[in-house]
Structures are given as C-alpha cells and as structure tokens.
Amino acid sequence: MTKASLVANKKNNIDLVLAPVKDTELINEAFIKELINTSDYKPLFVNSANIKNAIAELNSVLKPLQDGQTGREIRYEILIRKDATINIQIDSEEMLAEAEITSAMGGAHLTAKAILDAAKAAGVKKGFSKAELIKVAHMAAKAEPGTIVKDAIAHGREAVNGRDARIKPLVQSAQDRILRPKEQDGGRVDMRDLGDIICVRIGEPLAKKIPLTEGIKGYTVTATPLLPEPGQDTSLIPGEGTVVSPKNENVLISTKVGLPKIIDNGMEVDEVYKINNVDVGTGHIDFQGSVIIDGDVCEGMRVSATGDITIGGFVESAQLTAGGDITIASGIIGKKQDLDGQDADIRDFRMSATIRAGGNLFAKYCQYADIQCTGNVRIENQLMHSLIDVGGVLWVGEEDKANGKLIGGLISASSSIHAGIVGATAGSKTLVNFDKPLAAFADKIAKVEANLAVEDEKTSELQAASKKLKKLPQEPKIKAMLQKVVTTYQFHAKRMGDILNEKEKMENQLQEFMASVYLEANEKLFQSVEFTVGDCMERTKREFPPSRMRYKDRKIIIDPIV
C-alpha cells in the first residue's frame, strides 16, 4: 500500500509525502483529510488544490507499475501556518472602533499590544480601553482556527453640553416653613408665632445664582474634538425688598422683614401684616401684601391679600382671597346652605367657606368649602363635600403619597386628581369634570371657525368676480382688474389653508388634553363617582380596588393600578 505521511518543511509548513506502491488499495482526498484531522496539524490552513495535485500525480505514477512495484516519492505542501490577521473598522461618525480578527491557523496569535498598534496605524488615536484590547485578544486566541472575532476596542466621548444658569432659592416657601417648623429643645414645636417661622430678616440670603457651565469637550476615536454647547445665562433680578449682596454678586439678600416670594429669576419680600386671630373684634382684613395669622379665621370674617395668606389655625365659614398662595396649618370648616328638595344639584349649593387663591392652596382637611385655585390644591387628610375649581393638580394625601380621602362634592379639574380613597360606602355622589379647560378649547376653535367662515365668504366672492371678468373683452383695464382679483383670491385662499391647519392643530391639542387627564384612587374607588370628559361620562356602580378613571377612544375606562 502506498505510504502517506505529513512532514515539516523548511518553512515550518507541512508537506504531504507519498511513497507509491502499486496494489488494490487506493488513496483519495478523503483519506488525506482524515490523516490531517487525526494529526497535530489540524489547526493549519489546508491547501486543497495541492491535495488534488498530489492524488493526481500519485495515480499517474502508479498507472504503469506492476503489482508490488514502487514508484518515485511525491511531495506537496498541503498545510500552511497562518498568523492571525486584523482589520480595524471605524464607524461613520468616528465614535466607535472595532477590531475584526481572523484567528490564527497554526500561526501566531495577536497580542493586545499588536491590536493597539494596528488600530493606531488605521487612524484610531483616542478612547482605547485596555480591558477591551485584552478581551478581544483572548477571544481571538481561543476561537476556532480561521474564524472571525469582532469586538469594540475604542470609544469616542460625546460632548456634554453645559447647564443653564439657574436661580436657587435659599429660603423655604411659607408652606414649607409652616409644615416643617423648627423643633425646640426636647423636640417640641412652637407654632404660636408664625411670623418668626416664615418671615425673613434684614440681610438674610434669599436666592443664589448658580452660574452656567461651559460643558465638557468630547472627542472621536480619531481625536477630532467635539465642542459642547455652553449653558444659557440668566440674570439675578432683585425684586422689591431685596438687593444684590455686596459680598457676592450672585446672592440676593433681604432689605426688610417680610414674607419671601419667588419671582422670575429672583425673589421679592412682601410686606407682612401679622395678627393673632381674625374675628369680630379685629374686623375684616384687606391688605396690600401678605397676611400672617397665628391662630384662626372665625365665622363670617373676610381676609383679602394681594400676596400670600398663611394661617396657623383653622378657617371656619370665612372668606379668603389671595393673589398668591394660601396655606392653612389646620383645616377649612364650612356649611352648606339648606336647599328645598332632596334632589338638589350639588352645582347649586352655596358654601359658607369660600377660598380664592391665585397660587397654590394647602390645608390639613376641608369640608363644605367653595374653592377656586389657579395653581395646585393639596389637602392632607380629607376633602369632603366641597366645590373645587382647580387650575393645577388636586392632591389629597401626604406630600409624597396620595393617601387621603376624597368624599363627595364637585371637582372642576384642569389636570389630574389623586387620592387614596375616592367616594364612600354610603354612595355620596362625587362628581369630577373638566368643563372649564374644555370650554376654553371650544372657544378657541369657535373663533378659528368664525375666521374660516369669513375667509370662505371672501374667496367665494372673489371667485365669482373672477368668472365675470373673464367673460368680458380682455382690454388692458379689465386684465388689470382680473389680475388684482386673482392675486387677492390667492391671498385669501392661502389664509384659509393656514386657518384650517390652525384648526386641525387645536383639535389635536384638544384630543391630547382629553387623553391626559385622569382620576386616581390609590386604595379604593367606591360607587357613585361620576367622571366626565366632554360628552363622555361614567359613574361607578360598585367598589373597585386601586384604579384610574380616564378617557380613551371616546369613552371613559377604569384601569386597575398594578
């Protein structure tokens, strides 16, 4: 039988050596490949063409021989050692460089340094990761011979844009101060003098400007610098009762004793009227500034202020009107007027406690009150049988958890409503609607439709005039008139198109608003809670676990809160 062996040559590659012997057993390509697979040279690159050439030459040598005769030795290089090769790829934005390695076939593996040098030669200059270089080198060394391994070796860094300058208040709002009074020795809290708690003194820092930042430069893997956008600057504006500190141009300080108020890009200090209680002995209060009441506002009294109203006690069947925030440390207690008939509509009720706030409202509890608030309303414990018109969020519960009770009443909302429990087992009607903002949308759309009707009428008139002029003899005067009519028609037709786009935009905004509002009961949603968005209304007929009522696809749905 012909003898086949694998022998190293001077190039450290492997030759196939055949010693021909004529017999009945033939050597073919499959035999040679099996010889390779069972040898130590399996990882090397196989030159299949030379195997074919060796078999062909063997057959040629054997052909004229007699059985048992030997022929000349045949030798072909069929296994070649190949070192690992590398191709460096840089993405189009030059923020990522990857090494594509074809693993070694019996040759030398690439070291992490060799990969680094190849990357540098390809133009990669920054963003290398030593860990990634070592990782990809190990991956390629362990990979099957001749396979492709690809991984990142360098990353660019995006520029980080600068932060805008901002104004940071250095004093708490009246609401924060009254809800978090300072403890005295022994952990006691003194609420008898709200003025000392919530007022600032002369020279007290009120606000600080945090300067803009320039941002952080970035770079590509090819070392192209990426420049950040610097932040926008803003000015620190001294309001009434404040001045820029002579020691620090970025700090506002108070020039008088009063109530601090945040204004755009600054602070102001409001004049303050302080009083212990408001009752028949003190009379009504109407003050240009802010009012601080240590105690209570008694039945039948009125308090009006252009600034904030802060009350340490409770409000009983009284009237409060503030241009800013109203903060009540205790609660609001009112009464509803007696109405003839058992089926009187809650919308017709009159409450003895009325609250009007141009800012936000806070109270611990509230019952039988008529409240109109431009900002947010937060009632900490329980809101019962009241008329609420809120321009922001209605939140019944603790500051970070809506776990209070919303029972009965009429809520005219402009945003979301949050409570722990909504409604009651007794089935008291709790009505929620969004009529006010929807009416504002309807008014805007109606004005747009009126403008559209005017433009439609004008374009119709101009179109008719154009047709008449075209029928007349086309003298220079007629042509000039026709041109003027056509130009005017084109103007109004374009105006119509703009108005139609404006109407479509408003209608889309209306749908987005309707889909954004909701009522959320984090603990229980009882029966007889009526939720209305536009023409869609749903009244609960049973008790629900934690749920959210909202508008979707022209109907009101109730989703479980998971």
Side-chain angles (χ1 to χ4, degrees):
M1 176 182 178
T2 299
K3 182 180 178 183
S5 58
L6 300 174
V7 180
N9 60 28
K10 292 179 180 180
K11 295 186 290 183
N12 202 25
N13 292 328
I14 306 301
D15 291 343
L16 171 63
V17 179
L18 298 173
V21 176
K22 181 76 177 252
D23 60 15
T24 57
E25 293 188 25
L26 298 176
I27 291 179
N28 55 23
E29 288 184 48
F31 177 87
I32 301 302
K33 288 183 178 178
E34 179 63 22
L35 178 64
I36 294 170
N37 290 335
T38 56
S39 73
D40 294 333
Y41 307 121
K42 182 180 178 181
L44 278 65
F45 172 75
V46 177
N47 187 334
S48 298
N50 273 359
I51 293 177
K52 291 179 184 295
N53 291 336
I55 298 300
E57 187 171 335
L58 173 63
N59 291 334
S60 177
V61 169
L62 290 174
K63 187 173 182 180
L65 299 179
Q66 299 296 319
D67 286 345
Q69 285 187 311
T70 60
R72 62 178 173 81
E73 183 180 86
I74 300 169
R75 192 180 190 106
Y76 278 86
E77 184 179 79
I78 65 166
L79 295 173
I80 303 170
R81 296 184 187 275
K82 287 193 173 184
D83 295 340
T85 59
I86 185 168
N87 177 38
I88 301 298
Q89 298 178 347
I90 301 173
D91 76 342
S92 60
E93 295 183 353
E94 299 185 354
M95 296 302 288
L96 176 68
E98 293 179 306
E100 184 179 86
I101 299 173
T102 301
S103 61
M105 302 181 73
H109 297 296
L110 287 169
T111 64
K113 184 179 184 308
I115 297 170
L116 175 64
D117 291 342
K120 287 181 177 179
V124 181
K125 299 176 181 178
K126 295 196 74 172
F128 288 106
S129 165
K130 181 178 179 181
E132 288 182 333
L133 287 167
I134 294 172
K135 174 188 170 187
V136 73
H138 286 171
M139 287 170 58
K142 293 178 180 180
E144 288 291 322
T147 57
I148 293 176
V149 174
K150 186 175 181 180
D151 207 358
I153 56 169
H155 301 269
R157 186 172 73 183
E158 296 284 357
V160 179
N161 290 336
R163 290 190 294 270
D164 294 343
R166 60 187 178 90
I167 308 303
K168 178 184 178 182
L170 300 178
V171 293
Q172 291 178 309
S173 67
Q175 186 179 118
D176 287 338
R177 290 186 176 211
I178 195 172
L179 297 181
R180 301 178 183 87
K182 292 182 178 179
E183 292 185 355
Q184 296 180 332
D185 294 340
R188 293 179 296 107
V189 171
D190 186 3
M191 293 292 289
R192 290 174 297 178
D193 192 346
L194 285 180
D196 287 344
I197 294 174
I198 67 175
C199 285
V200 295
R201 296 171 175 79
I202 295 173
E204 186 171 344
L206 302 175
K208 180 180 181 180
K209 176 183 174 180
I210 308 299
L212 64 83
T213 62
E214 294 295 333
I216 302 172
K217 290 181 180 179
Y219 53 80
T220 68
V221 294
T222 58
T224 302
L226 302 176
L227 301 180
E229 291 286 339
Q232 298 292 318
D233 200 10
T234 190
S235 299
L236 185 62
I237 299 176
E240 184 179 350
T242 73
V243 68
V244 175
S245 170
K247 297 179 181 179
N248 188 338
E249 64 180 6
N250 287 327
V251 174
L252 286 183
I253 59 174
S254 174
T255 59
K256 64 182 179 182
V257 176
L259 192 68
K261 291 177 64 68
I262 297 173
I263 60 173
D264 289 341
N265 295 335
M267 297 282 285
E268 66 181 16
V269 178
D270 218 353
E271 294 287 349
V272 172
Y273 178 78
K274 287 178 56 182
I275 192 169
N276 289 331
N277 293 287
V278 178
D279 53 28
V280 291
T282 63
H284 304 305
I285 293 175
D286 188 351
F287 186 69
Q288 295 291 314
S290 295
V291 174
I292 299 173
I293 302 163
D294 289 340
D296 306 325
V297 180
C298 298
E299 186 172 359
M301 304 310 297
R302 296 193 305 272
V303 179
S304 178
T306 57
D308 297 345
I309 297 176
T310 306
I311 300 166
F314 63 86
V315 175
E316 182 181 2
S317 296
Q319 179 179 319
L320 306 180
T321 304
D325 297 341
I326 295 178
T327 304
I328 303 166
S330 292
I332 304 166
I333 304 171
K335 304 170 185 174
K336 73 176 189 296
Q337 72 173 28
D338 293 332
L339 296 173
D340 294 334
Q342 297 294 320
D343 297 326
D345 194 316
I346 191 172
R347 297 170 181 82
D348 299 326
F349 286 176
R350 292 189 181 277
M351 305 299 181
S352 61
T354 59
I355 311 293
R356 304 289 183 265
N360 300 321
L361 168 67
F362 170 82
K364 286 286 181 68
Y365 55 87
C366 176
Q367 65 181 34
Y368 294 116
D370 181 350
I371 295 173
Q372 293 180 17
C373 178
T374 303
N376 300 324
V377 172
R378 182 163 84 87
I379 306 299
E380 189 163 275
N381 296 325
Q382 187 166 274
L383 174 58
M384 296 179 62
H385 307 297
S386 295
L387 305 176
I388 309 293
D389 183 342
V390 53
V393 173
L394 174 60
W395 187 277
V396 186
E398 298 171 4
E399 186 175 12
D400 57 351
K401 186 178 182 181
N403 56 357
K405 297 179 180 179
L406 172 57
I407 301 173
L410 171 63
I411 314 299
S412 180
S414 299
S415 182
S416 54
I417 302 109
H418 307 258
I421 294 174
V422 179
T425 53
S428 301
K429 281 187 179 180
T430 305
L431 310 181
V432 176
N433 67 55
F434 300 87
D435 293 351
K436 196 171 181 179
L438 292 178
F441 272 111
D443 287 344
K444 290 179 181 178
I445 292 173
K447 289 177 182 177
V448 170
E449 289 176 338
N451 292 337
L452 186 63
V454 170
E455 295 298 328
D456 184 49
E457 184 177 355
K458 287 179 180 178
T459 54
S460 297
E461 291 173 354
L462 290 165
Q463 198 171 28
S466 174
K467 288 180 179 179
K468 288 181 180 178
L469 289 170
K470 286 178 180 178
K471 293 178 180 179
L472 299 175
Q474 294 302 296
E475 299 174 357
K477 185 177 179 180
I478 299 299
K479 286 183 177 180
M481 290 177 62
L482 179 59
Q483 182 60 44
K484 185 176 180 180
V485 168
V486 169
T487 302
T488 307
Y489 170 82
Q490 290 172 341
F491 170 81
H492 287 287
K494 183 180 181 302
R495 175 68 182 143
M496 273 189 71
D498 293 340
I499 293 172
L500 282 169
N501 289 336
E502 184 182 1
K503 181 185 176 186
E504 182 180 3
K505 182 179 178 181
M506 285 186 177
E507 289 172 341
N508 289 336
Q509 290 174 343
L510 171 60
Q511 291 301 316
E512 288 172 3
F513 170 78
M514 293 172 71
S516 71
V517 298
Y518 60 92
L519 164 68
E520 190 171 77
N522 293 310
E523 296 174 14
K524 285 184 180 180
L525 178 64
F526 284 104
Q527 64 184 29
S528 298
V529 175
E530 186 177 296
F531 186 83
T532 304
V533 180
D535 296 331
C536 300
M537 186 273 285
E538 179 69 27
R539 183 185 295 112
T540 56
K541 299 176 178 62
R542 62 177 179 86
E543 180 181 324
F544 290 84
S547 300
R548 182 183 292 113
M549 300 185 76
R550 63 188 180 96
Y551 170 91
K552 182 181 180 181
D553 298 333
R554 301 187 182 277
K555 63 182 179 181
I556 305 301
I557 63 173
I558 302 175
D559 290 329
I561 298 176
V562 180

